[in-house]
Amino acid sequence: MVSPQIRSKYQVTIGIECHVQLKTATKLFAAVGNDAREAEPNTLVSPICFGLPGTLPVLNKEAVHLAIRAAFALNTEPQRFSTFERKHYFYPDLPMGYQITQLHQPIVVGGFVEPEVDDQPFKVRINRVQIEADAGKSTHPTGKDYSLVDLNRAGTPLLEIVSEADMHSAAEAKAYAHELYLRMRYADVSDCNLYYGNMRFDVNVSVSMTAVLGTRTETKNINSFRAVEKTVEYEVSRQIEVLEKGEKVSQETRGWDDAKQRTFKQRTKEDAEDYRYMPDPDLPPIELTNAQIEAIKSEMPVLPDEWRHRLQSLGLDKAAMELLLEAELDDAEVYYLALIEEVILEKEFAKQLANWFVNIEVPLRRDDSLTPNAAITNQGRLALYRATAELIGADKLSSSNAKTLITKVLTTDKQVPVIEDYAKQHNLIQESNVSAVEAITKNVIAENPKAVEDVKNGEMKAIGFLVGQVMKHSQGRANPQLAQTLIKQQLGL
Ligand code: MN
C-alpha cells in the first residue's frame, strides 16, 4: 500500500472509453436479430456476420438514429458527415479480419457531461463518439484443448463514447460512468444492462508528479460502476509503487479480476498504426440533413439534467433527486417523475409526493419480500397520494399513519379504495376531539410522574416523551399537536 503522503505527490489522470450496445432490433449491417442474451450460440448469424465473400454490409438506419439521440444526450449535435473505417486485427471471433468502426470522421465530436462527487459538479468533455460493430465471443473451456467461438454478438451495433482525460479520482471515474448510464437510459439509446455487457468501460489511468502525463494503462471491459472505481484505486497504487521503486510503468492493456479485486496484465498495448486503418470501400459516408437532425431532436425525452432542474425547483435534496432518477428506471410500468411532473405546479403537493416516493414507495417496491398491488395504475397511485395529502391537510391523518395507509394500499391486492373510508376502517384517522385526547393525556400524566417532574423542572425534551406515550396509547391516532397543547395546559405551563 502507498502511504497518503506519497500518494499526494502524484496527480492522477483518467480517461474512459465506454461501449454501449444500441437498442436496435437487428445488427449494424445485417438483418439478423440483435438480442444475444439467451440465444443458443451461432443462431443469430448471417453470411455478413461471417464476412463471406460476396456479402455487402447495409447500414442499419435505426443505429444512426440512436447515435443522433446519444449526441443530444451528451449536450451536443451529431456531425453532418461521418465515415466508416476498417480496423484490422486477427482474432478467431472476428472472421472478417477487421472491425468496422469510425476513425477519421466519427458521428459525434465534442459534447460534455457534468456529474457530481460530494455535491461538487465537475465537467468531463467528450472527445468523440463512434458507431462500430461488436466482435463475436470466444470461450476457452477449462481442461479442453480447443476454444469455442460464438458469433451471435458479431456485428451488434455499438457506440464507443470516448471521454477526454478530465477525471482525477476513482470517485470521479465512477460518477462519470454512472452519469453516462443515466443519460443513455433516459435517451433510450441502450438498455445499458451491465450484466449482459450492454455497457462496458475501458479505463485509462496514469499518474505523474509533473505536468507531463505519465504512461497510462488501459483496463478493459469493466462491467460495473464499483469495478470502475476499484480499478482506478488499484491502478493508481500499483503505478505509484512501480515509480517509487524507480521503475517505469509500461503501456499495456489490463483486465479487472473481480474475485481478486485487482487488475492484471493482458498484453502490451498496440499503437494505432498496428491496426492498418483504411476507409471501408463497401460503406458510403453517413450524410445527415438539418431536417433529419431537427426531427430527432424534437422527439427527445426529458433528460436527467432537465429532471434535476425541475426537481430542484421543488426544494428536494440531491440524494432524493438521484434516487428518483434511478428508481424511474426500475420498472417501465411504474412512473415517479411523470407523476410529479403532472402536479408540479402544486408545489407543496409535488414535493410531498416526491418525498413519499423516496421514503415509502421506492423502498417498498425494491423490497423483495413485499408484493406491490399490481392492480394499481399510475393514475390510481396519484389518486391515493392526493387523497392522503387531503386527509393530512384536514388534520384527519398524522404523517406516520399516512405512511401506514400508503403502504397498506400499495401492498393490498385490490383496486385503490376510497381513501378516507379505508383509513377509518383501519383506525388510522387522527383523533382531534379535545375530550377524547384529554382523557388520554390525563392518564399519561398520572402514569409518568418522573417525566412530569422533569418537564416542570424545565426539561422540555420530556414533553416529547409524554406526547410519544399519548401516541402509543392511542395507537398512533391522537393529534400530536393537540396532545402537546393539552399536556402543557394540564401541567400549568
Ligand atoms: Mn471500440
Side-chain angles (χ1 to χ4, degrees), residues 19 99 130 132 160:
H19 288 90
Q99 177 191 31
Q130 63 211 30
E132 58 188 35
E160 179 173 332

Side-chain angles (χ1 to χ4, degrees), residues 17-19 87 99 101 130 132-133 158-160 202 220:
E17 289 157 29
C18 170
H19 288 90
K87 176 185 183 179
Q99 177 191 31
T101 181
Q130 63 211 30
E132 58 188 35
L158 303 177
L159 278 189
E160 179 173 332
D202 301 342
K220 274 189 169 311

Side-chain angles (χ1 to χ4, degrees), residues 6-132:
I6 291 177
R7 174 85 167 64
S8 67
K9 292 193 295 181
Y10 289 86
Q11 165 84 339
V12 175
T13 304
I14 304 154
I16 293 181
E17 289 157 29
C18 170
H19 288 90
V20 290
Q21 179 174 331
L22 294 172
K23 240 179 134 165
T24 56
T26 55
K27 291 189 179 181
L28 186 53
F29 300 112
V32 178
N34 210 15
D35 190 357
R37 285 177 297 181
E38 308 292 340
E40 287 293 307
N42 297 308
T43 52
L44 299 173
V45 288
S46 82
I48 291 175
C49 310
F50 283 97
L52 292 185
T55 58
L56 280 174
V58 177
L59 178 60
N60 184 338
K61 203 169 153 186
E62 183 60 15
V64 177
H65 186 128
L66 293 175
I68 295 170
R69 291 172 76 98
F72 292 125
L74 297 169
N75 294 312
T76 186
E77 289 197 352
Q79 299 292 299
R80 267 52 176 178
F81 184 91
S82 63
T83 58
F84 285 103
E85 275 81 25
R86 294 179 175 181
K87 176 185 183 179
H88 297 82
Y89 64 96
F90 181 78
Y91 206 72
D93 63 20
L94 188 76
M96 295 196 295
Y98 59 84
Q99 177 191 31
I100 301 175
T101 181
Q102 299 193 293
L103 178 73
H104 297 302
Q105 290 176 281
I107 187 118
V108 179
V109 177
F112 69 93
V113 300
E114 232 167 351
E116 293 190 352
V117 169
D118 298 333
D119 290 350
Q120 291 302 309
F122 61 98
K123 192 168 183 169
V124 180
R125 292 164 301 154
I126 304 299
N127 172 286
R128 58 192 280 138
V129 178
Q130 63 211 30
I131 300 175
E132 58 188 35

Side-chain angles (χ1 to χ4, degrees), residues 323-324 327-328 330 336 356-367 385:
L323 185 127
L324 284 173
E328 187 78 359
D330 284 355
Y336 299 105
W356 276 333
F357 286 153
V358 168
N359 298 315
I360 305 174
E361 184 164 347
V362 173
L364 181 149
R365 287 189 187 273
R366 285 179 171 178
D367 182 342
Y385 285 113

Side-chain angles (χ1 to χ4, degrees), residues 278-418:
M278 58 173 265
D280 194 312
D282 291 340
L283 287 161
I286 303 173
E287 289 185 77
L288 301 174
T289 64
N290 288 342
Q292 285 171 311
I293 293 170
E294 284 309 312
I296 292 170
K297 190 174 191 174
S298 70
E299 66 186 41
M300 286 298 288
V302 179
L303 295 170
D305 277 351
E306 176 58 23
W307 279 122
R308 288 179 178 122
H309 181 73
R310 292 184 196 178
L311 294 172
Q312 210 155 24
S313 74
L314 298 176
L316 282 195
D317 65 52
K318 286 197 170 145
M321 288 192 320
E322 294 306 315
L323 185 127
L324 284 173
L325 280 173
E326 192 86 39
E328 187 78 359
L329 304 171
D330 284 355
D331 179 342
E333 309 290 316
V334 178
Y335 303 144
Y336 299 105
L337 298 177
L339 294 185
I340 294 170
E341 178 66 15
E342 234 181 284
V343 300
I344 200 129
L345 294 177
E346 303 164 65
K347 213 172 156 183
E348 230 169 279
F349 176 51
K351 184 178 184 184
Q352 173 74 88
L353 184 64
N355 282 321
W356 276 333
F357 286 153
V358 168
N359 298 315
I360 305 174
E361 184 164 347
V362 173
L364 181 149
R365 287 189 187 273
R366 285 179 171 178
D367 182 342
D368 292 335
S369 68
L370 293 170
T371 315
N373 179 355
I376 298 193
T377 61
N378 285 300
Q379 288 308 315
R381 289 164 55 228
L382 191 55
L384 158 66
Y385 285 113
R386 187 177 285 288
T388 305
E390 281 165 6
L391 287 180
I392 292 177
D395 252 352
K396 291 179 177 173
L397 193 67
S398 67
S399 56
S400 70
N401 278 359
K403 182 174 181 177
T404 310
L405 175 72
I406 291 165
T407 307
K408 261 188 202 298
V409 173
L410 288 177
T411 53
T412 306
D413 194 25
K414 277 189 222 140
Q415 296 297 323
V416 178
V418 176

Side-chain angles (χ1 to χ4, degrees), residues 215-231:
T215 303
R216 64 173 189 192
T217 60
E218 177 173 35
T219 305
K220 274 189 169 311
N221 284 323
I222 300 168
N223 65 357
S224 79
F225 307 123
R226 180 100 182 115
V228 167
E229 185 179 35
K230 289 284 174 188
T231 292

